[in-house]
Amino acid sequence: MDKYIGKKLDGRYEITELIGVGGMADVYKATDLVENKVIAVKILKREYAGSEEFLRRFRNESKMIASLSHPNVVKVHDVGFSDKLQFIVMEYIDGITLKEYIENEGVLTWKDSVHFIIQVLRALQHAHDKGVVHRDIKPQNIMLFTDGTIKVMDFGIAKSALEQACTATDQTIGTVHYISPEQARGDKTDEKSDIYSVGVMFYEMLTGQKPFDSDKPVTVAVMQMKNTPKRPRAVNPNIPAGLEEIILRAMEKDPENRYQTAADMIKDIESFKKNPAMVFGYYEEVSVDTDEEEKSGFDTTEAVYIEDTEEEMDGYDDETEEIDVEEEGEEEEEEEESRSLFIPVMTAVTIAFIVVAVFFILWLVKDVINDPKKSTKYEMPNLVGMDYYEAKDAYTYLDIQINETENSTYEKDVIYFQDIAVGDTISTGQTVYVNVSLGISMVEMPNVKNYHYEMARKMLEQEGFVVEQKYEISSEGVETSMVIRTEPAAGEEAEAGSTVIMYISKGVENGTIEIQNLIGKTVEEAEMLCDYYGLTVVKIESPSTEDENIVIGQSIEAGQIVDPGTEITLTYSNGQDPTGVVPFTLTLPENATGRFILDFVDSNGTTIASSSTINAAFSGAGSSVNTPVESTGVQQIVVILSNYATNQQEELGVYNFDFTNKTYSAVRENIQGAFEAVGGINHPTEAPTAVIVPDPVVDNPVPMTDPIIATAPDPIVEEPDPVQPTDAPDVPENPVTTDPDDVQTAEPPATAPVDFE
């Protein structure tokens, strides 16, 4: 039994079963006991855990890949490190690997291949944007759901693992089939290495075989560095030429000649999907009379060799070939000591290639002798746009077969796709598969008569039609704004996407017009409707919170009946917030005293309004004071209270001002506290004693009988008459009154002048 099954990692992840074995790590199904969900745990093998360098890189890269979040990337939930155990916690995928799917299917259709590859590229683009390069893209690292969704696994781990791949052990054979040439050489790698691996995987999907294969990993690695792959269409002629170009560009030996980003490759694939017959012109097609090797850098040895050998066919026999091969082999052996260890491998490949080519030539000559017609070569004509039956009559040397049919913008029976690119070399009797149009899809017109025109328009648009509206007086009694008829008429068939005309009633033919609700429409739409109804339009722009050119008012209410030619005024928004004046009301505290001013400050710190001087004595304690505040829109305003006498300031409150609707509401306020803070509250104390003024004639002090402070209580008189306690003190004949805030004084007796200064 596996030693990890039944154990808990970090006291949280309980291992239940082994679900995958890899070169570097084993994958287990587990349960997250905290979140009560099934997860997958990848545990690194002991031989990798012993390398400090590997552990350092693994920790750094694990932090990076944990940040990835994309629908096509297996989510990493957690990582764990200890002296004895390193693991990664991932989402559990209930599916199969792309490797298993390819093995089951053999050769994938180009549509399935494109569907999978685009998802892989999107995952890579997300990772590359985050600075993470996968470095181990292969079908084994890609999970496939039953709905066709792709999830890429093992981001970042391959970077460290690849250092171990230099030993070319059996454990790394799955990797070397997909690594880039620079990876095989041990050079620096970047996102373009992932692009190469995607190209190899794309090649395998469409051909059913890897571009380079051998039982020995070293041989495969050498092929990745030195050899060029056989062109995909040479393996599977049904591959569209455009896809072949995409694959070959992704697999360029020089990284600078590849797609530079995953997005670039996606762009070409999307272009191909829109037009499967397209070619990009990256490479010229291989032909028997073209030295393709000089033009594209891809392997055309076979084509060139066939041409050269045909010139020397006279007197050729098997025995001569064996001698030539042996002599060439001996010459190679003589130079073996001066070449690298890989030369014997390359020599063997060359010899095998020559033998295959010879047999191919003999087969070709045999066919020419038996049936000369089969040797006839043609360039593939352009069938797209031709009638299928006319194409079969015109190109009798081709076996034109229908691949699929569907509705399109082409007329019925017209070819809109061919699986062999125009200009490709073809032979007599070669099969070409085409897609044939069933014609433009026809839709039955729905009956929208007597529907309100807005609902009718939506119904027609849902059927794929473009709706053109026209207005007319109804002679059939159809009410205003209701649909009278359509062209084409209800029940007739029309092409999907075509324009239909919807006639809308302007009212019953009785000489009057019912006014419609125009508010909310654009001024152009409203003016057009009024014109159709025969109304005279006057337009006025106005500030409004509505978008620019939206009608915000109409002079005649909807539903009213008017005569043709009646003038209607439309008010529409100019897109500017309206300016409004909001009256701010302050109720003074009962015991307020002094002179004050209010400042209204907006969110930018700008004072947008200030009150006039508020005199508590003049206004009266407990009274209300109004201050108009003018601005636009909705703003939050801070109101500051200032005391003239003390120069102190304090926040009175914060308010939301709606200048459009001319209202305001308090967010917070403390009126009493603000007046207290600036010294604007009068706190009553005990009644003051009389002021003693020295008599200039008499030495004894004489108490004053007249108050000198306006705010003092009843004046204190000297020795009041006990018999008449309610009598008021004597009042001076000439009292002097000044400003309420100033001191009030009484004129002293002539015999006793007093200087109050």
Side-chain angles (χ1 to χ4, degrees):
M1 182 176 176
D2 191 287
K3 63 180 180 179
Y4 291 117
I5 294 178
K7 291 188 176 181
K8 295 178 184 177
L9 304 183
D10 282 357
R12 174 175 179 175
Y13 308 113
E14 184 175 10
I15 307 298
T16 56
E17 63 177 296
L18 178 67
I19 57 176
V21 177
M24 296 179 302
D26 296 329
V27 182
Y28 295 85
K29 186 176 181 181
T31 301
D32 183 343
L33 300 178
V34 174
E35 297 190 7
N36 192 28
K37 68 178 181 180
V38 178
I39 43 91
V41 178
K42 173 171 282 192
I43 302 177
L44 296 183
K45 291 186 175 179
R46 189 175 299 276
E47 55 264 36
Y48 292 100
S51 169
E52 288 297 327
E53 177 66 13
F54 179 80
L55 291 178
R56 181 185 65 81
R57 293 189 179 185
F58 176 73
R59 291 188 182 100
N60 292 340
E61 292 177 9
S62 295
K63 294 176 183 177
M64 294 172 61
I65 62 177
S67 67
L68 299 181
S69 178
H70 190 272
N72 298 121
V73 176
V74 173
K75 180 64 178 175
V76 174
H77 298 303
D78 193 9
V79 291
F81 305 103
S82 67
D83 294 338
K84 297 182 179 180
L85 190 66
Q86 295 77 37
F87 62 88
I88 298 176
V89 179
M90 307 174 295
E91 66 174 306
Y92 175 73
I93 306 297
D94 187 12
I96 63 173
T97 66
L98 186 58
K99 178 69 174 177
E100 294 171 313
Y101 184 78
I102 293 174
E103 289 176 347
N104 291 337
E105 296 295 320
V107 177
L108 275 59
T109 66
W110 72 259
K111 290 184 179 180
D112 286 347
S113 300
V114 164
H115 177 70
F116 296 149
I117 287 294
I118 283 182
Q119 293 183 72
V120 174
L121 288 170
R122 285 173 179 159
L124 289 176
Q125 185 63 51
H126 173 74
H128 295 167
D129 290 343
K130 297 282 188 178
V132 180
V133 180
H134 194 291
R135 297 182 176 88
D136 195 21
I137 286 292
K138 56 187 177 183
Q140 296 92 317
N141 282 340
I142 297 171
M143 297 300 296
L144 174 62
F145 287 93
T146 55
D147 64 355
T149 302
I150 284 293
K151 291 268 190 178
V152 181
M153 302 188 300
D154 289 350
F155 272 90
I157 298 177
K159 177 180 180 181
S160 299
L162 197 55
E163 297 174 359
Q164 308 299 325
C166 295
T167 60
T169 63
D170 290 341
Q171 291 178 338
T172 62
I173 188 169
T175 299
V176 295
H177 282 95
Y178 304 93
I179 61 173
S180 65
E182 57 268 29
Q183 282 178 283
R185 289 191 298 268
D187 294 343
K188 181 181 178 180
T189 57
D190 57 17
E191 59 269 17
K192 291 186 284 295
S193 292
D194 286 347
I195 300 295
Y196 183 92
S197 300
V198 172
V200 174
M201 197 163 60
F202 208 175
Y203 186 109
E204 183 180 8
M205 289 180 183
L206 290 170
T207 64
Q209 63 187 47
K210 303 178 184 68
F212 306 113
D213 202 3
S214 173
D215 293 337
K216 297 180 179 180
V218 170
T219 302
V220 177
V222 172
M223 290 179 177
Q224 298 283 20
M225 292 185 288
K226 302 292 184 182
N227 292 18
T228 51
K230 194 172 185 178
R231 300 191 82 148
R233 284 163 58 82
V235 181
N236 178 8
N238 293 326
I239 299 174
L243 283 189
E244 181 183 65
E245 288 187 276
I246 292 172
I247 293 170
L248 295 182
R249 188 173 187 189
M251 290 182 60
E252 283 281 4
K253 298 296 183 187
D254 185 348
E256 297 305 315
N257 293 335
R258 292 178 209 148
Y259 291 106
Q260 298 300 291
T261 66
D264 291 340
M265 191 170 176
I266 291 173
K267 182 179 178 182
D268 271 5
I269 294 176
E270 292 291 355
S271 297
F272 167 81
K273 286 172 62 179
K274 293 178 182 177
N275 179 16
M278 76 176 300
V279 292
F280 297 93
Y282 297 143
Y283 309 100
E284 293 185 9
E285 293 296 325
V286 177
S287 64
V288 295
D289 56 355
T290 301
D291 188 353
E292 189 71 7
E293 188 171 11
E294 294 180 1
K295 296 184 179 179
S296 69
F298 280 91
D299 188 10
T300 57
T301 307
E302 179 177 348
V304 175
Y305 178 81
I306 291 172
E307 177 185 343
D308 292 342
T309 308
E310 286 178 333
E311 297 175 358
E312 302 173 0
M313 282 303 298
D314 296 336
Y316 187 92
D317 57 32
D318 291 345
E319 182 179 355
T320 305
E321 171 60 13
E322 291 176 2
I323 295 172
D324 291 343
V325 172
E326 290 175 1
E327 288 176 356
E328 183 174 350
E330 291 173 359
E331 290 175 2
E332 292 293 331
E333 290 176 0
E334 291 175 359
E335 297 178 6
E336 182 178 10
E337 294 180 358
S338 63
R339 298 188 181 182
S340 70
L341 295 175
F342 298 126
I343 295 301
V345 176
M346 299 302 295
T347 302
V349 171
T350 302
I351 293 171
F353 185 79
I354 293 171
V355 172
V356 171
V358 169
F359 279 106
F360 176 78
I361 293 168
L362 292 175
W363 173 82
L364 185 64
V365 172
K366 173 178 173 291
D367 275 359
V368 170
I369 295 173
N370 293 340
D371 188 355
K373 291 184 180 180
K374 288 188 178 180
S375 64
T376 305
K377 301 293 182 181
Y378 299 93
E379 282 192 358
M380 181 64 205
N382 185 7
L383 305 180
V384 175
M386 292 187 66
D387 182 270
Y388 169 72
Y389 300 101
E390 292 178 358
K392 288 182 72 70
D393 292 339
Y395 300 103
T396 55
Y397 58 87
L398 287 177
D399 179 19
I400 304 176
Q401 298 293 330
I402 295 178
N403 178 43
E404 61 181 48
T405 59
E406 63 181 33
N407 292 109
S408 73
T409 55
Y410 289 94
E411 294 181 2
K412 189 176 185 303
D413 296 331
V414 171
I415 297 171
Y416 63 90
F417 167 75
Q418 61 189 62
D419 70 338
I420 300 179
V422 176
D424 278 11
T425 301
I426 56 175
S427 303
T428 301
Q430 186 165 338
T431 300
V432 55
Y433 289 95
V434 297
N435 291 359
V436 178
S437 174
L438 293 176
I440 299 175
S441 178
M442 303 298 289
V443 180
E444 182 178 335
M445 285 290 298
N447 185 1
V448 294
K449 183 177 180 180
N450 288 320
Y451 280 74
H452 190 277
Y453 74 93
E454 289 186 346
M455 179 178 291
R457 177 173 51 80
K458 291 180 180 179
M459 292 173 61
L460 293 172
E461 287 176 347
Q462 288 174 355
E463 294 293 337
F465 295 114
V466 177
V467 180
E468 179 183 340
Q469 297 178 181
K470 291 188 177 182
Y471 295 82
E472 64 183 25
I473 297 293
S474 174
S475 60
E476 305 173 11
V478 178
E479 295 181 4
T480 304
S481 298
M482 300 300 179
V483 176
I484 301 171
R485 67 185 186 282
T486 59
E487 291 180 0
E492 294 182 0
E493 287 194 340
E495 294 180 358
S498 62
T499 299
V500 299
I501 301 175
M502 180 172 66
Y503 290 90
I504 305 167
S505 173
K506 293 197 296 184
V508 180
E509 192 173 17
N510 57 7
T512 59
I513 300 168
E514 181 182 349
I515 297 296
Q516 303 299 299
N517 181 18
L518 304 175
I519 295 175
K521 300 183 182 297
T522 66
V523 67
E524 292 83 6
E525 291 174 339
E527 189 174 18
M528 180 183 69
L529 285 172
C530 291
D531 182 57
Y532 277 124
Y533 288 129
L535 300 174
T536 302
V537 176
V538 175
K539 296 181 294 183
I540 299 176
E541 68 173 37
S542 173
S544 171
T545 55
E546 291 288 345
D547 292 339
E548 188 176 1
N549 291 327
I550 297 298
V551 176
I552 57 176
Q554 60 189 83
S555 60
I556 306 176
E557 293 183 1
Q560 291 191 21
I561 305 298
V562 299
D563 294 327
T566 300
E567 183 177 281
I568 181 171
T569 300
L570 302 178
T571 305
Y572 64 96
S573 171
N574 61 9
Q576 300 175 0
D577 284 338
T579 299
V581 178
V582 176
F584 178 81
T585 302
L586 170 65
T587 301
L588 297 173
E590 291 292 338
N591 49 354
T593 181
R595 291 184 297 166
F596 310 93
I597 191 170
L598 300 178
D599 291 314
F600 296 81
V601 182
D602 65 14
S603 58
N604 295 321
T606 303
T607 301
I608 61 173
S610 297
S611 70
S612 58
T613 301
I614 302 171
N615 193 320
F618 181 77
S619 299
S623 62
S624 296
V625 179
N626 289 328
T627 301
V629 183
E630 181 178 356
S631 191
T632 61
V634 177
Q635 301 183 49
Q636 191 168 92
I637 304 296
V638 180
V639 181
I640 305 297
L641 174 70
S642 300
N643 188 331
Y644 262 125
T646 64
N647 288 326
Q648 291 178 291
Q649 293 184 327
E650 183 65 21
E651 178 187 290
L652 185 77
V654 177
Y655 303 85
N656 285 330
F657 278 70
D658 184 346
F659 293 100
T660 302
N661 297 312
K662 301 178 176 58
T663 61
Y664 73 93
S665 60
V667 177
R668 63 175 182 270
E669 70 175 6
N670 186 358
I671 296 175
Q672 183 73 26
F675 275 84
E676 291 272 8
V678 300
I681 297 296
N682 179 33
H683 295 284
T685 59
E686 294 181 0
T689 59
V691 177
I692 306 300
V693 182
D695 191 330
V697 179
V698 184
D699 293 334
N700 294 330
V702 179
M704 290 190 64
T705 60
D706 187 42
I708 65 170
I709 300 176
T711 58
D714 292 339
I716 301 174
V717 298
E718 182 180 7
E719 298 179 359
D721 187 354
V723 179
Q724 297 175 344
T726 59
D727 289 348
D730 293 336
V731 179
E733 295 180 0
N734 300 312
V736 179
T737 303
T738 63
D739 187 277
D741 289 340
D742 296 335
V743 178
Q744 295 180 351
T745 60
E747 183 178 319
T751 58
V754 178
D755 184 1
F756 287 98
E757 292 296 320

